[in-house]
């Protein structure tokens, strides 16, 4: 059973499954269900045996009446709970990568470096059930940990992790002309670009993630000789604070809709029952002062056809 499979949502939790235990949006952790085991947290003791047979998404209770939710381990949640051995890609960047690399079921994708496997997990789901992701990292221990985690998340049939210096040696020649897309998250990606051009099928697409604009400039310079449609994106997330406010109607003569009641400057005497009733609740949104900052630049390019 592949726990990242969408069918997971339609079945019940079994002994040995990976679940994401959700306390709050900022407090989740992955746990492998073991019928002999217990989870202890500030809400009390939860027996795993009581989770077995319940659908993913269930609310389960502790001996003290506290509760957590048991969620299916999607790639989205995995990215939020995985152990960080390196910097990782987050969902805003990951979504753009998968869309602009045109990854669909059946694709053959090459990736380097593997890092903590955050992107790889989403790549694997995108190529399932018959495609494959070959991911390379020159750090032996990181490759081993990533391999173990793909076993845990049920993705090992879709992902192969290899140890290789991609900047120094390029991708293995067995993939020449076979890759639908290639993704690089390397410190000097321009060194790997000649190899990427050899690996891609005609019309194949590559993407390189770099935190610094100087790295992007150098990558783009190298891309020019064999690639076309070179485009760099930076994704900046902007969260909004949402709140409900009482709005007056029909008093402001403005084209932009009713104003919030405080701007109508009602005196206390004016706030009669009648005027209260003419105010209606509305949802207001304003950008959060604390916006998420820069992660990196994503440069996409398509292999030029001759
Ligand atoms: N994208 C990954 C994720 O979402 O989890 C994170 C990648 S991490 C920032 C960069 C990785 O590249 C590191 O694990 C590092 O060991 C690997 N790396 C650096 N130079 C390399 C090279 N020449 N060949 C292969 N891997 C390399």
């Amino acid at each position: 059973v592949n726990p990242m499979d969408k069918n997971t949502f339609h079945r019940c939790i079994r002994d040995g499954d990976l679940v994401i235990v959700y306390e709050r949006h900022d407090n989740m952790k992955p746990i492998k269900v073991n019928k002999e085991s217990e989870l202890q947290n500030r809400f009390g003791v939860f027996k795993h045996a009581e989770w077995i047979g319940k659908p993913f998404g269930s609310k389960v209770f502790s001996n003290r009446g506290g509760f957590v939710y048991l969620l299916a381990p999607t790639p989205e949640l995995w990215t939020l709970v995985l152990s960080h051995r390196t910097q990782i890609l987050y969902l805003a960047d990951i979504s753009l990568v998968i869309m602009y690399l045109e990854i669909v079921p059946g694709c053959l994708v090459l990736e380097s470096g593997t890092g903590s496997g955050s992107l790889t997990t989403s790549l694997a789901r995108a190529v399932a059930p018959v495609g494959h992701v070959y991911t390379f990292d020159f750090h032996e221990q990181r490759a081993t940990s990533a391999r173990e985690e793909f076993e845990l998340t049920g993705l090992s049939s879709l992902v192969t992790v290899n140890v290789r210096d991609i900047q120094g040696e390029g991708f293995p020649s067995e993939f020449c002309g076979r890759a639908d897309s290639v993704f690089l998250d390397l410190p000097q990606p321009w060194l790997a670009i000649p190899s990427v051009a050899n690996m891609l099928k005609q019309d194949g697409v590559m993407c390189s993630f770099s935190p610094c604009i100087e790295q992007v400039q150098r990558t783009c310079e190298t891309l020019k000789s064999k690639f076309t449609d070179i485009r760099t994106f930076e994704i900046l997330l902007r969260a909004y604070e949402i709140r409900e406010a009482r709005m007056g109607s029909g008093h402001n003569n403005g084209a932009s809709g009713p104003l919030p009641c405080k701007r109508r400057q009602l005196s206390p005497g004016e706030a009669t029952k009648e005027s209260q009733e003419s105010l209606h609740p509305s949802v207001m949104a304003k950008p959060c002062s604390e916006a998420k900052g820069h992660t990196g630049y994503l440069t996409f390019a398509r292999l030029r056809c001759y």
Side-chain angles (χ1 to χ4, degrees), residues 79 82 85-90 94 111-120 136-140 142 162-169 183-188 209:
T79 282
L82 58 76
R85 298 176 289 273
T86 60
Q87 296 272 10
I88 65 165
L89 258 69
Y90 291 94
I94 290 174
E111 179 197 27
S112 186
T114 313
S116 307
S118 169
L119 175 68
T120 324
F136 300 84
D137 204 296
F138 70 174
H139 193 289
E140 191 118 26
R142 280 184 203 140
N162 286 306
V163 177
R164 188 172 172 102
D165 174 3
I166 294 296
Q167 291 180 179
E169 302 175 61
F183 181 85
L184 303 177
D185 183 353
L186 295 171
Q188 296 173 295
F209 175 90

